Amino acid sequence: MSGFGILLHKEWREAVRSAKLIWLPAVFLLLGIIQPLTAKFMPDILASAGNLPEGTVIQIPVPTPGEVMAQTLSQFGTMGLLAVCLAFMGTIAGEKRNGTADWILVKPVSPLAYVTSKWVMLCLIIAFSFGLGFGGAWYYTNLLIGIPISGDVLFSAFLYYIWLVFIGTITIASSALLRSPAAAAFVAFAGAIALQLVRGLFENELSWLPSGLDAAAMSRLTTGISPSWLGAAIVTGICIPALLWVAAKGAGIRKKG
Amino acid sequence: MDKSDLIMLLLPVFLIQLILMATALTYLYRASSVRGKKWVWVLVIIFVNIIGPILFFAFGRKEN
């Protein structure tokens, strides 16, 4: 496995060189901090926005700590997901384009090891970014709103992390199959949104879709229960290796000429 | 909740925004060539908060 270590090291240097290690955590941290602030000061924000008739009384129920954390997750589910897709879109498509992939794969390195090294680095970077962001949200919720139930927060973080890694894995796979990084990002992001939509429409029949993880994480925070998370986790656990295998096949296909 | 408390709460937000902006500008300054014009990216990074730097890192840099 010495080759794998070298590949991992290369991915690490690539992450540092492309500043992913700075901007992805920063984006998650910003999203995570801003949401509790918004929840806390929403009445003030509305009042200062003006254009309300004189004497308007705004009654907004203060959300529970769990609800604020769930709102943070829904922020991660749009902006955060988009950031993940953009961060990893070029991971194979870009390297195919500039010849790095060919240069690596002519050496006795299996395409699977090449793809897996990328995947391991993705898991680490997402863990760091999401952990920082969700931790920031937790801290600010404690300060401003109240103290959420720790067990629920940790469990939903675990579920949501798997969901993020799954979307990252889709990004790697589409990056291996498509020529353009932008197309890869689009496919992964659109796929994530579509999965969430479909699951929302057929809640009872399709709770086992990977997007069930994201829904279960949120309901755990708002209601304290996370229905049918296990099915979604098992399906996702099967999908991730399958996607990596597809990505390895895609990465192994050489450019003509 | 008085003014100074609020400033303490908002300070990290501004700091992280600043880090993001500074990182993007540093990379832009060091890059030998970027997609599009450099001064356009400067404006995007400075005036489109959060998303501007992301766009630069995602689409502005040429891989070579």
Side-chain angles (χ1 to χ4, degrees):
Chain A
M1 283 311 266
S2 65
F4 189 72
I6 294 167
L7 281 174
L8 260 186
H9 187 69
K10 171 202 160 289
E11 287 306 322
W12 170 256
R13 290 216 344 243
E14 172 65 27
V16 172
R17 205 179 56 83
S18 65
K20 268 191 201 95
L21 280 170
I22 301 172
W23 70 261
L24 206 57
V27 167
F28 272 89
L29 194 52
L30 274 175
L31 291 174
I33 290 179
I34 288 173
Q35 191 55 44
L37 280 168
T38 316
K40 171 79 178 176
F41 297 110
M42 189 49 96
D44 306 355
I45 295 168
L46 284 176
S48 68
N51 68 27
L52 288 166
E54 204 58 40
T56 313
V57 178
I58 308 170
Q59 284 285 355
I60 300 178
V62 177
T64 64
E67 278 167 355
V68 176
M69 296 294 282
Q71 287 166 1
T72 309
L73 283 186
S74 70
Q75 290 288 331
F76 288 172
T78 47
M79 282 283 294
L81 269 187
L82 187 61
V84 167
C85 293
L86 291 176
F88 294 101
M89 65 184 182
T91 189
I92 295 175
E95 291 197 350
K96 272 191 163 183
R97 190 177 279 183
N98 68 12
T100 314
D102 289 349
W103 184 79
I104 288 174
L105 291 170
V106 292
K107 295 186 166 46
V109 170
S110 76
L112 195 59
Y114 170 69
V115 169
T116 310
S117 72
K118 291 181 175 301
W119 185 78
V120 169
M121 198 44 70
L122 172 131
C123 288
L124 290 174
I125 294 174
I126 291 183
F128 180 62
S129 308
F130 171 66
L132 208 60
F134 209 47
W138 197 356
Y139 178 73
Y140 263 64
T141 305
N142 275 340
L143 281 183
L144 297 168
I145 317 275
I147 300 177
I149 302 164
S150 306
D152 286 353
V153 173
L154 291 173
F155 187 68
S156 68
F158 159 74
L159 292 180
Y160 206 83
Y161 175 66
I162 304 176
W163 163 243
L164 281 178
V165 167
F166 173 73
I167 299 301
T169 314
I170 294 185
T171 312
I172 292 181
S174 32
S175 185
L177 296 172
L178 299 167
R179 263 160 197 231
S180 115
F186 175 77
V187 166
F189 189 64
I193 301 296
L195 275 173
Q196 284 168 325
L197 275 178
V198 169
R199 197 209 153 275
L201 292 175
F202 306 99
E203 206 152 342
N204 300 328
E205 298 84 357
L206 295 179
S207 60
W208 47 266
L209 280 178
S211 44
L213 287 170
D214 143 87
M218 288 192 199
S219 76
R220 178 78 186 212
L221 285 167
T222 48
T223 62
I225 50 170
S226 42
S228 62
W229 66 272
L230 192 60
I234 291 170
V235 171
T236 311
I238 295 167
C239 284
I240 288 179
L243 281 166
L244 285 177
W245 185 79
V246 169
K249 281 274 169 266
I253 299 167
R254 294 294 160 77
K255 275 190 303 209
K256 291 185 178 63
Chain B
M1 184 64 74
D2 54 21
K3 274 270 193 292
S4 68
D5 282 352
L6 190 58
I7 289 169
M8 287 304 283
L9 284 171
L10 289 173
L11 198 61
V13 178
F14 291 127
L15 273 181
I16 300 162
Q17 293 238 33
L18 202 64
I19 291 172
L20 202 55
M21 201 190 287
T23 312
L25 288 173
T26 311
Y27 272 75
L28 179 67
Y29 177 72
R30 283 199 193 151
S32 50
S33 67
V34 290
R35 288 207 183 89
K37 289 199 166 29
K38 277 203 180 190
W39 64 267
V40 177
W41 279 117
V42 171
L43 295 182
V44 168
I45 289 168
I46 291 176
F47 290 108
V48 187
N49 62 18
I50 308 182
I51 301 174
I54 297 180
L55 286 177
F56 168 69
F57 282 122
F59 298 108
R61 309 173 67 241
K62 279 187 182 159
E63 323 103 354
N64 45 13

